[in-house]
PDB file of all heavy atoms in Angstrom:
ATOM      1  N   ARG A 229      22.917  12.094   4.173  1.00 98.00           N
ATOM      2  CA  ARG A 229      24.168  12.530   3.477  1.00 98.00           C
ATOM      3  C   ARG A 229      25.359  12.329   4.453  1.00 98.00           C
ATOM      4  O   ARG A 229      26.524  12.012   3.949  1.00 98.00           O
ATOM      5  CB  ARG A 229      23.961  14.049   3.076  1.00 98.00           C
ATOM      6  CG  ARG A 229      23.787  14.895   4.216  1.00 98.00           C
ATOM      7  CD  ARG A 229      23.292  16.325   3.778  1.00 98.00           C
ATOM      8  NE  ARG A 229      21.748  16.161   3.418  1.00 98.00           N
ATOM      9  CZ  ARG A 229      21.061  17.120   2.849  1.00 98.00           C
ATOM     10  NH1 ARG A 229      21.668  18.373   2.548  1.00 98.00           N
ATOM     11  NH2 ARG A 229      19.841  16.865   2.445  1.00 98.00           N
ATOM     12  N   GLY A 230      25.122  12.521   5.712  1.00 99.00           N
ATOM     13  CA  GLY A 230      26.199  12.105   6.663  1.00 99.00           C
ATOM     14  C   GLY A 230      26.669  10.736   6.544  1.00 99.00           C
ATOM     15  O   GLY A 230      27.755  10.270   6.987  1.00 99.00           O
ATOM     16  N   GLY A 231      25.681   9.821   6.309  1.00 99.00           N
ATOM     17  CA  GLY A 231      26.023   8.372   6.194  1.00 99.00           C
ATOM     18  C   GLY A 231      26.643   7.912   4.976  1.00 99.00           C
ATOM     19  O   GLY A 231      27.483   7.023   5.031  1.00 99.00           O
ATOM     20  N   LYS A 232      26.370   8.699   3.925  1.00 99.00           N
ATOM     21  CA  LYS A 232      27.223   8.477   2.689  1.00 99.00           C
ATOM     22  C   LYS A 232      28.700   8.901   3.020  1.00 99.00           C
ATOM     23  O   LYS A 232      29.709   8.158   2.643  1.00 99.00           O
ATOM     24  CB  LYS A 232      26.797   9.442   1.690  1.00 99.00           C
ATOM     25  CG  LYS A 232      25.302   9.371   1.190  1.00 99.00           C
ATOM     26  CD  LYS A 232      24.909  10.379   0.142  1.00 99.00           C
ATOM     27  CE  LYS A 232      23.519  10.846   0.166  1.00 99.00           C
ATOM     28  NZ  LYS A 232      22.436   9.926  -0.147  1.00 99.00           N
ATOM     29  N   ALA A 233      28.851  10.083   3.737  1.00 99.00           N
ATOM     30  CA  ALA A 233      30.088  10.603   4.133  1.00 99.00           C
ATOM     31  C   ALA A 233      30.854   9.664   4.988  1.00 99.00           C
ATOM     32  O   ALA A 233      32.098   9.425   4.843  1.00 99.00           O
ATOM     33  CB  ALA A 233      30.042  11.989   4.620  1.00 99.00           C
ATOM     34  N   ALA A 234      30.130   9.029   5.933  1.00 99.00           N
ATOM     35  CA  ALA A 234      30.766   8.049   6.986  1.00 99.00           C
ATOM     36  C   ALA A 234      31.450   6.836   6.282  1.00 99.00           C
ATOM     37  O   ALA A 234      32.560   6.568   6.731  1.00 99.00           O
ATOM     38  CB  ALA A 234      29.695   7.517   7.995  1.00 99.00           C
ATOM     39  N   LEU A 235      30.798   6.326   5.271  1.00 99.00           N
ATOM     40  CA  LEU A 235      31.322   5.152   4.682  1.00 99.00           C
ATOM     41  C   LEU A 235      32.708   5.486   3.965  1.00 99.00           C
ATOM     42  O   LEU A 235      33.684   4.832   3.967  1.00 99.00           O
ATOM     43  CB  LEU A 235      30.408   4.387   3.652  1.00 99.00           C
ATOM     44  CG  LEU A 235      29.323   3.695   4.284  1.00 99.00           C
ATOM     45  CD1 LEU A 235      28.290   3.233   3.172  1.00 99.00           C
ATOM     46  CD2 LEU A 235      29.780   2.508   5.012  1.00 99.00           C
ATOM     47  N   TRP A 236      32.684   6.648   3.229  1.00 99.00           N
ATOM     48  CA  TRP A 236      33.803   7.152   2.460  1.00 99.00           C
ATOM     49  C   TRP A 236      34.879   7.571   3.394  1.00 99.00           C
ATOM     50  O   TRP A 236      36.096   7.212   3.249  1.00 99.00           O
ATOM     51  CB  TRP A 236      33.407   8.229   1.501  1.00 99.00           C
ATOM     52  CG  TRP A 236      34.628   8.693   0.673  1.00 99.00           C
ATOM     53  CD1 TRP A 236      35.181   9.919   0.666  1.00 99.00           C
ATOM     54  CD2 TRP A 236      35.555   7.871  -0.140  1.00 99.00           C
ATOM     55  NE1 TRP A 236      36.332  10.070  -0.199  1.00 99.00           N
ATOM     56  CE2 TRP A 236      36.542   8.781  -0.658  1.00 99.00           C
ATOM     57  CE3 TRP A 236      35.564   6.584  -0.590  1.00 99.00           C
ATOM     58  CZ2 TRP A 236      37.555   8.349  -1.422  1.00 99.00           C
ATOM     59  CZ3 TRP A 236      36.537   6.100  -1.332  1.00 99.00           C
ATOM     60  CH2 TRP A 236      37.454   6.935  -1.798  1.00 99.00           C
ATOM     61  N   ALA A 237      34.548   8.161   4.515  1.00 99.00           N
ATOM     62  CA  ALA A 237      35.448   8.647   5.495  1.00 99.00           C
ATOM     63  C   ALA A 237      36.255   7.400   6.056  1.00 99.00           C
ATOM     64  O   ALA A 237      37.514   7.423   6.235  1.00 99.00           O
ATOM     65  CB  ALA A 237      34.797   9.387   6.692  1.00 99.00           C
ATOM     66  N   ALA A 238      35.491   6.329   6.345  1.00 99.00           N
ATOM     67  CA  ALA A 238      36.137   5.054   6.959  1.00 99.00           C
ATOM     68  C   ALA A 238      36.939   4.466   5.899  1.00 99.00           C
ATOM     69  O   ALA A 238      37.983   3.889   6.163  1.00 99.00           O
ATOM     70  CB  ALA A 238      35.081   4.148   7.379  1.00 99.00           C
ATOM     71  N   ALA A 239      36.651   4.567   4.541  1.00 99.00           N
ATOM     72  CA  ALA A 239      37.453   3.979   3.538  1.00 99.00           C
ATOM     73  C   ALA A 239      38.767   4.820   3.502  1.00 99.00           C
ATOM     74  O   ALA A 239      39.890   4.333   3.358  1.00 99.00           O
ATOM     75  CB  ALA A 239      36.779   4.057   2.190  1.00 99.00           C
ATOM     76  N   GLU A 240      38.835   6.081   3.620  1.00 99.00           N
ATOM     77  CA  GLU A 240      39.827   7.012   3.511  1.00 99.00           C
ATOM     78  C   GLU A 240      40.828   7.003   4.904  1.00 99.00           C
ATOM     79  O   GLU A 240      41.860   7.266   4.796  1.00 99.00           O
ATOM     80  CB  GLU A 240      39.539   8.521   3.258  1.00 99.00           C
ATOM     81  CG  GLU A 240      39.126   8.680   1.804  1.00 99.00           C
ATOM     82  CD  GLU A 240      40.434   8.959   0.960  1.00 99.00           C
ATOM     83  OE1 GLU A 240      41.443   8.640   1.151  1.00 99.00           O
ATOM     84  OE2 GLU A 240      40.090   9.631  -0.205  1.00 99.00           O
ATOM     85  N   ASP A 241      40.152   6.740   5.932  1.00 99.00           N
ATOM     86  CA  ASP A 241      40.832   6.868   7.213  1.00 99.00           C
ATOM     87  C   ASP A 241      40.745   5.491   8.092  1.00 99.00           C
ATOM     88  O   ASP A 241      39.681   5.214   8.644  1.00 99.00           O
ATOM     89  CB  ASP A 241      40.267   8.003   8.115  1.00 99.00           C
ATOM     90  CG  ASP A 241      41.104   8.241   9.385  1.00 99.00           C
ATOM     91  OD1 ASP A 241      41.919   7.449   9.736  1.00 99.00           O
ATOM     92  OD2 ASP A 241      40.940   9.325   9.929  1.00 99.00           O
ATOM     93  N   PRO A 242      41.726   4.707   8.146  1.00 98.00           N
ATOM     94  CA  PRO A 242      41.771   3.387   8.731  1.00 98.00           C
ATOM     95  C   PRO A 242      41.653   3.471  10.335  1.00 98.00           C
ATOM     96  O   PRO A 242      41.487   2.431  10.937  1.00 98.00           O
ATOM     97  CB  PRO A 242      43.034   2.690   8.266  1.00 98.00           C
ATOM     98  CG  PRO A 242      43.957   3.828   7.910  1.00 98.00           C
ATOM     99  CD  PRO A 242      43.070   4.972   7.421  1.00 98.00           C
ATOM    100  N   ARG A 243      41.819   4.704  10.730  1.00 98.00           N
ATOM    101  CA  ARG A 243      41.688   4.840  12.308  1.00 98.00           C
ATOM    102  C   ARG A 243      40.160   4.694  12.704  1.00 98.00           C
ATOM    103  O   ARG A 243      39.880   4.489  13.870  1.00 98.00           O
ATOM    104  CB  ARG A 243      42.238   6.114  12.643  1.00 98.00           C
ATOM    105  CG  ARG A 243      43.732   6.360  12.347  1.00 98.00           C
ATOM    106  CD  ARG A 243      44.199   7.726  12.699  1.00 98.00           C
ATOM    107  NE  ARG A 243      43.343   8.688  12.061  1.00 98.00           N
ATOM    108  CZ  ARG A 243      43.534  10.025  12.271  1.00 98.00           C
ATOM    109  NH1 ARG A 243      44.365  10.583  12.999  1.00 98.00           N
ATOM    110  NH2 ARG A 243      42.712  10.875  11.570  1.00 98.00           N
ATOM    111  N   ILE A 244      39.236   4.889  11.757  1.00 99.00           N
ATOM    112  CA  ILE A 244      37.836   4.751  12.061  1.00 99.00           C
ATOM    113  C   ILE A 244      37.549   3.090  12.005  1.00 99.00           C
ATOM    114  O   ILE A 244      37.555   2.460  11.126  1.00 99.00           O
ATOM    115  CB  ILE A 244      37.062   5.371  10.990  1.00 99.00           C
ATOM    116  CG1 ILE A 244      37.283   6.937  11.111  1.00 99.00           C
ATOM    117  CG2 ILE A 244      35.499   5.120  11.199  1.00 99.00           C
ATOM    118  CD1 ILE A 244      36.579   7.679   9.884  1.00 99.00           C
ATOM    119  N   ALA A 245      37.416   2.658  13.255  1.00 98.00           N
ATOM    120  CA  ALA A 245      37.309   1.170  13.440  1.00 98.00           C
ATOM    121  C   ALA A 245      35.881   0.665  13.192  1.00 98.00           C
ATOM    122  O   ALA A 245      35.759  -0.555  12.829  1.00 98.00           O
ATOM    123  CB  ALA A 245      37.747   0.729  14.909  1.00 98.00           C
ATOM    124  N   ILE A 246      34.840   1.572  13.301  1.00 99.00           N
ATOM    125  CA  ILE A 246      33.535   1.198  13.099  1.00 99.00           C
ATOM    126  C   ILE A 246      32.834   2.275  12.369  1.00 99.00           C
ATOM    127  O   ILE A 246      32.816   3.460  12.802  1.00 99.00           O
ATOM    128  CB  ILE A 246      32.857   0.877  14.416  1.00 99.00           C
ATOM    129  CG1 ILE A 246      33.573  -0.158  15.180  1.00 99.00           C
ATOM    130  CG2 ILE A 246      31.377   0.439  14.249  1.00 99.00           C
ATOM    131  CD1 ILE A 246      33.234  -0.293  16.643  1.00 99.00           C
ATOM    132  N   ALA A 247      32.214   2.010  11.215  1.00 99.00           N
ATOM    133  CA  ALA A 247      31.438   3.001  10.409  1.00 99.00           C
ATOM    134  C   ALA A 247      29.994   2.700  10.560  1.00 99.00           C
ATOM    135  O   ALA A 247      29.540   1.518  10.325  1.00 99.00           O
ATOM    136  CB  ALA A 247      31.890   2.888   8.971  1.00 99.00           C
ATOM    137  N   TYR A 248      29.197   3.666  10.876  1.00 98.00           N
ATOM    138  CA  TYR A 248      27.695   3.506  10.954  1.00 98.00           C
ATOM    139  C   TYR A 248      27.017   4.417   9.983  1.00 98.00           C
ATOM    140  O   TYR A 248      27.157   5.634   9.985  1.00 98.00           O
ATOM    141  CB  TYR A 248      27.319   3.930  12.357  1.00 98.00           C
ATOM    142  CG  TYR A 248      25.759   3.891  12.470  1.00 98.00           C
ATOM    143  CD1 TYR A 248      24.946   3.273  11.689  1.00 98.00           C
ATOM    144  CD2 TYR A 248      25.137   4.664  13.516  1.00 98.00           C
ATOM    145  CE1 TYR A 248      23.492   3.300  11.833  1.00 98.00           C
ATOM    146  CE2 TYR A 248      23.757   4.614  13.858  1.00 98.00           C
ATOM    147  CZ  TYR A 248      23.000   3.889  12.854  1.00 98.00           C
ATOM    148  OH  TYR A 248      21.574   3.942  13.082  1.00 98.00           O
ATOM    149  N   SER A 249      26.454   3.798   8.957  1.00 98.00           N
ATOM    150  CA  SER A 249      25.781   4.637   7.864  1.00 98.00           C
ATOM    151  C   SER A 249      24.218   4.452   7.895  1.00 98.00           C
ATOM    152  O   SER A 249      23.750   3.384   7.718  1.00 98.00           O
ATOM    153  CB  SER A 249      26.371   3.948   6.454  1.00 98.00           C
ATOM    154  OG  SER A 249      25.862   4.702   5.411  1.00 98.00           O
ATOM    155  N   ASN A 250      23.689   5.445   8.368  1.00 98.00           N
ATOM    156  CA  ASN A 250      22.334   5.488   8.739  1.00 98.00           C
ATOM    157  C   ASN A 250      21.365   5.971   7.495  1.00 98.00           C
ATOM    158  O   ASN A 250      21.563   7.183   7.199  1.00 98.00           O
ATOM    159  CB  ASN A 250      21.918   6.166   9.987  1.00 98.00           C
ATOM    160  CG  ASN A 250      20.565   6.111  10.447  1.00 98.00           C
ATOM    161  OD1 ASN A 250      20.216   5.107  11.163  1.00 98.00           O
ATOM    162  ND2 ASN A 250      19.674   7.152  10.258  1.00 98.00           N
ATOM    163  N   ASN A 251      20.498   5.270   6.976  1.00 98.00           N
ATOM    164  CA  ASN A 251      19.523   5.660   5.883  1.00 98.00           C
ATOM    165  C   ASN A 251      20.334   6.494   4.841  1.00 98.00           C
ATOM    166  O   ASN A 251      19.919   7.578   4.388  1.00 98.00           O
ATOM    167  CB  ASN A 251      18.527   6.573   6.460  1.00 98.00           C
ATOM    168  CG  ASN A 251      17.625   5.926   7.553  1.00 98.00           C
ATOM    169  OD1 ASN A 251      16.637   6.440   7.954  1.00 98.00           O
ATOM    170  ND2 ASN A 251      17.901   4.731   7.950  1.00 98.00           N
ATOM    171  N   SER A 252      21.467   5.861   4.339  1.00 98.00           N
ATOM    172  CA  SER A 252      22.369   6.757   3.540  1.00 98.00           C
ATOM    173  C   SER A 252      22.001   6.779   2.045  1.00 98.00           C
ATOM    174  O   SER A 252      22.252   7.650   1.308  1.00 98.00           O
ATOM    175  CB  SER A 252      23.824   6.277   3.715  1.00 98.00           C
ATOM    176  OG  SER A 252      23.943   4.795   3.237  1.00 98.00           O
ATOM    177  N   GLY A 253      21.303   5.650   1.629  1.00 98.00           N
ATOM    178  CA  GLY A 253      20.845   5.598   0.115  1.00 98.00           C
ATOM    179  C   GLY A 253      21.805   5.780  -0.956  1.00 98.00           C
ATOM    180  O   GLY A 253      22.892   5.381  -0.937  1.00 98.00           O
TER     181      GLY A 253
END
Side-chain angles (χ1 to χ4, degrees):
R229 62 199 71 191
K232 307 178 208 287
L235 288 173
W236 180 241
E240 284 276 20
D241 189 344
R243 301 171 306 174
I244 299 171
I246 304 169
Y248 174 20
S249 186
N250 189 77
N251 300 185
S252 60

